[in-house]
Amino acid sequence: MLVRRVLGRGFGAVGLGVVVVLGAGPAVADGPRLPLPAPEADLAYHGQVAVSAGRVDVGFIPQNHGPSAVGDATVRLRWSAPVAFVPGLPQQCVRAEARTVLCRTGALPADGTGGRIGVSVWLAGVPSEVTVRIDTVWSDGKVDRNPQNSRHQVLALDTGDVYYF
């Protein structure tokens, strides 16, 4: 009986020691942590702009040069003149302001492309030229360290000519 009590207490002490050691583990892990680097993606937009009699046609293909996939991104199209009429936006686009339309790109795999997005609008007053700005406003939390290929400013004359970006 004495042997049982000593062994029982001994195992209890060992068990308690394990609990104390395990209990101290998280306190060490909760110390200062370095922030994890944000995942990176390199979004790009390649397309064209044409203006004819006040109608502006913008078409582009979103692309992700990687290294991380992007679940979805939002592209802003902004005209230098107020938009008077939008004949019909693609399902993934919405009018945000008098001069602005926002479009979702959909999922963009690393080193992949998305579907073509085309937006046509009629401008107020039929200006002889218009500047269209294209840029990313949201990229699924990914960092784009090369924004030059996802920010464009295209000056298009009302001649029907196609301007590429």
Side-chain angles (χ1 to χ4, degrees):
M1 184 110 165
L2 182 59
V3 173
R4 266 190 179 164
R5 285 188 184 175
V6 171
L7 288 178
R9 288 182 188 158
F11 287 127
V14 170
L16 181 60
V18 171
V19 170
V20 170
V21 170
L22 291 177
V28 172
D30 285 340
R33 295 181 182 169
L34 296 175
L36 294 175
E40 290 186 39
D42 183 11
L43 299 180
Y45 308 111
H46 304 287
Q48 68 274 343
V49 175
V51 183
S52 180
R55 178 183 168 141
V56 182
D57 295 312
V58 179
F60 63 95
I61 295 175
Q63 185 174 7
N64 178 11
H65 296 290
S68 299
V70 174
D72 202 349
T74 303
V75 179
R76 175 175 41 207
L77 305 173
R78 197 173 350 174
W79 291 267
S80 60
V83 174
F85 176 67
V86 181
L89 286 173
Q91 184 178 4
Q92 75 266 33
C93 297
V94 64
R95 189 164 177 186
E97 297 172 351
R99 299 173 191 232
T100 307
V101 169
L102 301 174
C103 296
R104 294 178 53 211
T105 63
L108 297 170
D111 294 322
T113 61
R116 184 180 186 284
I117 298 172
V119 176
S120 295
V121 300
W122 291 93
L123 300 176
V126 189
S128 61
E129 65 182 37
V130 66
T131 300
V132 182
R133 291 178 182 86
I134 300 111
D135 64 339
T136 304
V137 292
W138 183 72
S139 58
D140 192 28
K142 307 302 187 286
V143 174
D144 189 345
R145 298 196 193 284
N146 181 25
Q148 292 80 9
N149 56 1
S150 61
R151 291 183 191 155
H152 302 284
Q153 184 169 312
V154 181
L155 174 64
L157 303 178
D158 189 354
T159 60
D161 293 328
V162 177
Y163 297 85
Y164 295 93
F165 60 91

